[in-house]
Amino acid sequence: MEETNHAIARWLTEAGWSETYVNLAVKAVIILGILVVAYAAAVLFRRLVVPLLQKISARTKAVWDDHLFSDKVMHRAARLIPPLIWYVLLRVAFYDTPVLLNVLHKACLIYLIVAVLQLVAAFLDTLYEISSRHETLRNRPLKGVYQMIKLLAVCVGAILIVSILIGQDATAVLAGLGASAAIIMLIFRDSILGLVAGVQLSANDMLRPGDWITMAKYGADGYVTEVTLTTVKVQNFDKTITTIPPYALVSDSFQNWRGMWDSGGRRIKRSLLIDASSVHNCTAAELAALREKGLAGTTPDAEPVVNLYALREYAARYLKGHPGIHPDLMQMVRMLQPTPEGIPVEVYCFTRETDWVAYEAVQGAVFDHLFAVLPDFGLRAYQRSSDRDPQSSES
């Protein structure tokens, strides 16, 4: 190091520099040379090494290496080169000032730690992109896990930076933080609970991005758009956004409609309220009229047929033949406990369509038809009104 400095000093003296400024000029020349070397190394890495690695990864069949050697990750990796070169070569310029050299070395190490943290963040973002495109992992709430790893990396980096600044070993800093563990856990309470909840949600496959969930406690009724370390974002059907803490989804109850999508059918469970005063045994003429219209089955004439039973039988046959009703899932038309508002006749079945708009169209068509055929069976739908027929009240 001294020989290098003396050689540069002799060269400057021979060039006509005053001895008063030679020492400063020597350091300036060396520092400039260090900066040029660091810059040139970073440029060579970006212009030569990075394109070479990207060409090699492009020729492979795997897709993950294309993400791993992307410009974002490689540029973050290139930032590691300057502080490493500075740390090694600064001794040449400041060998005679150990205090300043120590300060500059600490600055280089801090810069290097920050660059490593940026590289780790870019690497984790790339892993998230890869997992988002993977068929098995794309529906897993892994974003919170990656965020927790980032947080742990930042904590480790902060401990290392503090240990460098105070000149103590990192274990001593950790020992000091152990005394304030309660405060640290209080500060990172949501993050810690979010990490545990995220692991449980992922391990038990309780929640995926894109799921339709309902959680009345938080006013959530819509699709999960994002699962992070501290929040689960739900876009409601009115286009508002509801945020829920991940641990609330584990500790409280919520409804996930994914099973409905996976089954390929969406349930209809709705009742017709029949006016009890309109229920009666069908006469022979009424049965004949129902058979002529195709509304009655093959019930023997000797047995009294109640018009409400005939309606339920027809509704069951109608559901079996309806193109919008799923034939492989449960179908049932049943009478429930009579109420003061009438006799509920419940239609229980599943549509082929799970999309909301298509589902409502099928359900509406089914009940439009059932309401329309009620008069053919001599039945009336109950409604809370003083007069069932305004014309009859006028007469």
Side-chain angles (χ1 to χ4, degrees), residues 234-370:
V234 180
Q235 184 177 31
N236 300 312
F237 292 116
D238 59 359
K239 300 305 179 183
T240 59
I241 301 294
T242 299
T243 57
I244 306 173
Y247 55 83
L249 296 170
V250 177
S251 59
D252 296 336
S253 175
F254 72 97
Q255 188 174 15
N256 192 330
W257 293 80
R258 190 203 316 154
M260 179 266 294
W261 303 110
D262 295 341
S263 68
R266 187 165 179 175
R267 186 181 70 175
I268 294 178
K269 186 183 180 183
R270 183 173 291 185
S271 299
L272 290 167
L273 292 176
I274 305 298
D275 190 340
S277 62
S278 65
V279 178
H280 61 272
N281 290 328
C282 294
T283 63
E286 289 175 332
L287 280 176
L290 289 174
R291 291 194 180 109
E292 183 178 352
K293 295 178 181 180
L295 301 178
T298 58
T299 306
D301 294 337
E303 298 181 6
V305 178
V306 180
N307 59 348
L308 186 59
Y309 168 79
L311 172 67
R312 297 201 309 273
E313 183 191 33
Y314 169 73
R317 287 188 286 108
Y318 173 74
L319 293 177
K320 288 183 179 180
H322 196 288
I325 302 300
H326 204 298
D328 300 327
L329 299 178
M330 186 176 182
Q331 298 178 13
M332 177 174 60
V333 180
R334 60 173 181 166
M335 182 174 65
L336 302 179
Q337 176 73 27
T339 66
E341 284 76 27
I343 303 174
V345 175
E346 183 183 76
V347 175
Y348 191 101
C349 60
F350 294 82
T351 64
R352 293 179 183 268
E353 298 289 342
T354 56
D355 181 71
W356 192 2
V357 176
Y359 160 79
E360 291 292 350
V362 174
Q363 180 175 241
V366 169
F367 279 87
D368 286 347
H369 179 77
L370 294 180

Side-chain angles (χ1 to χ4, degrees), residues 6 10 18 41 48 52 58 80 90 96 121 128 174 212 219 229 239 246 249 289 321 323 326 340 347 375 383 395:
H6 291 323
R10 285 196 303 270
S18 174
L48 296 179
L52 179 61
L80 302 177
L90 280 175
D96 54 346
Y128 179 68
L174 285 173
W212 170 19
L229 185 62
K239 300 305 179 183
L249 296 170
H326 204 298
V347 175
Q383 59 184 13
S395 61

Side-chain angles (χ1 to χ4, degrees), residues 81-94:
I81 297 175
L84 289 173
I85 294 177
W86 296 341
Y87 187 87
V88 174
L89 297 182
L90 280 175
R91 299 175 184 272
V92 179
F94 301 100

Side-chain angles (χ1 to χ4, degrees), residues 11-24:
W11 177 76
L12 291 174
T13 303
E14 293 174 357
W17 283 69
S18 174
E19 294 183 1
T20 307
Y21 302 102
V22 165
N23 290 332
L24 293 177

